[in-house]
Amino acid sequence: IFDTASVALRLYTNRLWDWVWQAEVAVNADLEHFDWGRYVNYDLLLWGRYRYSECLGFHAGFFMETGMRFDRIYPLLGFDWTINDTWKINAVFPMNISIVYTYNCYWEAALAFRFFDVRHRVGKDEALPQAIVSYRNNGIELAVKYEYDPYIEANLHAGWTVGGKLRISNKQNHHPKHYRLDPAGYFGGELVVKF
């Protein structure tokens, strides 16, 4: 069990013709072992959307995870297509792969594909002191989203993982052991307050 707090700062601009760019820095800290050098990791995002037409947009950028001697970078590529006022397809790997049904200006439902990729470090008193634990998985989920633009976004989601991997390595991130995980159910929620 890891008690983690995440704080993110997101900036965006739509000043470029037909482009919207956003950048985000997220700091993920272990609340039980708060140490900037060993128990904190960072997520960095740069994401641009080019409006090709009223119903079609193209996406490009990157997503990077760093910290705890565990670095990964993923390209961000894809498109979104608004079929009509009710249906939309998002195919932006790895951030947003979904089919969205819009009920009204506040409520949406979605069938989505979710990527799980988290990492933590255990305490000094564990069997493998300060080991790094990494969890990677994918899930298919149903979600309900409420948005009171521009202030609040909230969603509830439930889904099923397809079976992922747990990786445990020493504190230098060497000598990893890999464990396969069985499929399992999950649920969760998110609340975003904008100001």
Side-chain angles (χ1 to χ4, degrees):
I1 297 173
F2 299 97
D3 297 323
T4 305
S6 297
V7 177
L9 175 64
R10 179 179 289 178
L11 304 171
Y12 73 94
T13 181
N14 56 4
R15 304 272 305 191
L16 300 172
W17 188 258
D18 289 331
W19 280 95
V20 174
W21 283 96
Q22 60 182 316
E24 180 178 292
V25 176
V27 180
N28 310 299
D30 187 318
L31 296 177
E32 188 176 343
H33 305 98
F34 194 74
D35 178 341
W36 285 99
R38 291 192 175 98
Y39 289 92
V40 175
N41 60 68
Y42 308 89
D43 299 328
L44 309 170
L45 173 70
L46 180 64
W47 185 345
R49 179 187 185 270
Y50 175 73
R51 185 177 60 128
Y52 181 77
S53 68
E54 287 298 319
C55 62
L56 184 63
F58 294 104
H59 299 252
F62 70 89
F63 177 69
M64 181 178 177
E65 299 172 323
T66 188
M68 297 191 303
R69 299 179 180 262
F70 209 88
D71 302 321
R72 288 193 181 122
I73 188 165
Y74 300 99
L76 193 147
L77 294 169
F79 68 93
D80 64 79
W81 175 34
T82 303
I83 300 168
N84 54 39
D85 291 341
T86 307
W87 292 98
K88 181 177 183 180
I89 295 174
N90 297 300
V92 184
F93 174 84
M95 303 305 288
N96 187 1
I97 299 174
S98 61
I99 299 172
V100 179
Y101 172 77
T102 302
Y103 180 71
N104 60 29
C105 63
Y106 300 110
W107 292 96
E108 291 180 343
L111 175 65
F113 194 72
R114 184 179 290 261
F115 296 92
F116 298 96
D117 193 351
V118 294
R119 60 222 180 273
H120 299 281
R121 188 183 294 273
V122 302
K124 295 177 184 177
D125 300 328
E126 300 293 330
L128 186 57
Q130 296 182 333
I132 297 173
V133 177
S134 171
Y135 170 72
R136 298 180 78 186
N137 210 335
N138 303 309
I140 299 171
E141 68 185 32
L142 291 173
V144 176
K145 178 181 171 186
Y146 174 79
E147 184 172 8
Y148 185 71
D149 198 35
Y151 305 108
I152 294 174
E153 267 183 46
N155 82 53
L156 295 173
H157 52 270
W160 194 259
T161 64
V162 295
K165 292 181 184 177
L166 187 68
R167 180 184 186 271
I168 301 173
S169 60
N170 67 13
K171 66 181 177 181
Q172 290 86 19
N173 198 27
H174 296 142
H175 311 294
K177 300 246 191 269
H178 299 269
Y179 302 93
R180 289 217 170 266
L181 301 173
D182 292 333
Y186 67 91
F187 65 92
E190 297 170 314
L191 175 66
V192 177
V193 178
K194 304 174 189 177
F195 53 91

